[in-house]
Amino acid sequence: MARINLGNFGNIVPQAQSTPVVQGSNAVADTLNTFSNIAYQQADRINRENQVIKQEEEKDNRLLYANTTAKMNSDIELLDQDITQKVSTNQLDMQGAITERQSALDNIHKQYHANIPEPMQNQFNLSFDAISHDSANKIMPVFVKAKRSQDLQMVDSLKEEALKSTDKQKALAFIKLGVDDAGLTDAEKTETLRDSARRWDKNENNRVLMALSESKDLATLESQSSEEFIKKQYPDMSQEDVLNAVNARKNEIARINQVNKIALDKQTNLAQKALADFKSDVFAAGGR
């Protein structure tokens, strides 16, 4: 049988052939790369913009924080000046000052805390505590000084009342009781009691002198006008006080003697005048 020539169709195994390259694939890749670069650049730009915005917000927050904190500090200083003035002039005692100051501090904190950005509120609270605590430390010496001044005034008032007593030991006992509770130093207590004893002696000396003067008791005045007598009778008076007491009694003796002399001279003159008038009347009667 004759063989039929199938030509190429007779080879049942296909022969490999090269695939033609499409010229447009490089353009697509380039386009994709371009889009990717643009997207990256846009993301980078947005990121940098966000960083700038964040930095500006942080700067604004810091400026707002600084400004608010400065105003808060000014208000606290004004408050403490007012409290100090009231304490110094006895308008407020220590407890009253503490209560009024704390109430005002609470109001100041509420007023300014609301304006502080959330990220800086903790820092603001710390600053508030530090400023208010620092100012409190400055006020405390004023409290102590005012309290001491009040105590000294109370002691002075106590002395004035106690020294009215005619019993020296009783007067000094009252004063000692007061100075023990007034927070005075030992030296101040000693000086207060010494001065009180001195003042009581001076007051008693003046009282006795006034009584003797009113009664014109020259004998007693003369017997009690020596320096030795004054020192023994009033041992807590200073030397200057003693000399002044001696001079005061001698002056009073001289004054009483002068008054008595004037009265005696007046009586003598009146007697002489009466006698002269009597003689004149007698002579006139005899002539008639």
Side-chain angles (χ1 to χ4, degrees), residues 30-280:
D30 291 342
T31 300
L32 292 175
N33 288 335
T34 299
F35 286 156
S36 176
N37 289 335
I38 291 174
Y40 175 79
Q41 292 174 0
Q42 287 178 339
D44 182 63
R45 177 179 57 78
I46 292 173
N47 183 54
R48 285 186 283 105
E49 288 177 351
N50 288 337
Q51 288 181 351
V52 171
I53 292 173
K54 183 178 180 181
Q55 291 174 354
E56 289 299 318
E57 289 179 349
E58 291 176 349
K59 183 181 70 175
D60 291 343
N61 287 344
R62 289 194 299 270
L63 288 174
L64 178 59
Y65 167 82
N67 184 52
T68 304
T69 306
K71 290 180 179 179
M72 175 195 70
N73 179 70
S74 296
D75 283 359
I76 292 177
E77 288 188 357
L78 289 174
L79 167 65
D80 289 338
Q81 290 174 12
D82 181 59
I83 294 293
T84 300
Q85 177 65 22
K86 289 180 178 179
V87 170
S88 300
T89 56
N90 295 326
Q91 298 179 51
L92 284 175
D93 59 13
M94 185 176 295
Q95 187 56 49
I98 292 174
T99 301
E100 181 172 322
R101 182 175 184 272
Q102 188 57 53
S103 176
L105 283 176
D106 291 342
N107 291 333
I108 291 174
H109 183 271
K110 290 178 183 178
Q111 174 186 353
Y112 290 108
H113 185 268
N115 299 327
I116 296 295
E118 180 66 28
M120 307 194 75
Q121 288 188 356
N122 287 336
Q123 184 176 351
F124 173 81
N125 291 337
L126 292 175
S127 296
F128 176 84
D129 290 342
I131 292 172
S132 58
H133 182 269
D134 179 64
S135 65
N137 289 336
K138 295 177 182 177
I139 292 179
M140 187 54 63
V142 179
F143 286 151
V144 174
K145 183 178 180 180
K147 182 61 169 61
R148 177 175 174 79
S149 177
Q150 292 174 1
D151 288 345
L152 292 176
Q153 289 178 2
M154 289 294 292
V155 170
D156 287 342
S157 177
L158 171 61
K159 285 169 60 177
E160 294 302 322
E161 291 301 319
L163 290 175
K164 293 177 182 178
S165 174
T166 56
D167 187 326
K168 182 177 182 179
Q169 297 307 315
K170 183 186 292 185
L172 294 180
F174 280 124
I175 295 171
K176 185 178 184 304
L177 183 63
V179 298
D180 284 343
D181 293 329
L184 302 182
T185 65
D186 290 341
E188 289 172 331
K189 291 179 182 179
T190 299
E191 175 59 25
T192 299
L193 291 172
R194 189 197 68 78
D195 181 68
S196 298
R198 171 176 172 260
R199 286 184 56 188
W200 191 93
D201 280 0
K202 287 180 64 176
N203 291 345
E204 181 64 12
N205 172 69
N206 292 336
R207 186 188 67 80
V208 170
L209 176 60
M210 184 176 297
L212 294 175
S213 176
E214 290 177 352
S215 65
K216 295 182 175 59
D217 189 347
L218 278 174
T220 302
L221 276 172
E222 289 173 348
S223 66
Q224 297 181 359
S225 295
S226 67
E227 183 175 339
E228 291 75 14
F229 175 87
I230 298 296
K231 285 182 177 181
K232 183 179 180 180
Q233 191 72 15
Y234 308 109
D236 290 308
M237 289 204 305
S238 66
Q239 180 64 24
E240 181 180 359
D241 294 335
V242 170
L243 295 177
N244 288 337
V246 170
N247 290 333
R249 295 195 177 206
K250 289 182 176 180
N251 289 337
E252 188 60 23
I253 291 172
R255 187 191 70 80
I256 293 174
N257 283 330
Q258 181 65 21
V259 169
N260 290 342
K261 182 177 182 303
I262 292 174
L264 180 61
D265 289 345
K266 183 177 180 181
Q267 290 177 354
T268 300
N269 291 335
L270 288 174
Q272 290 176 348
K273 183 177 185 301
L275 179 59
D277 290 343
F278 175 75
K279 289 180 178 180
S280 177

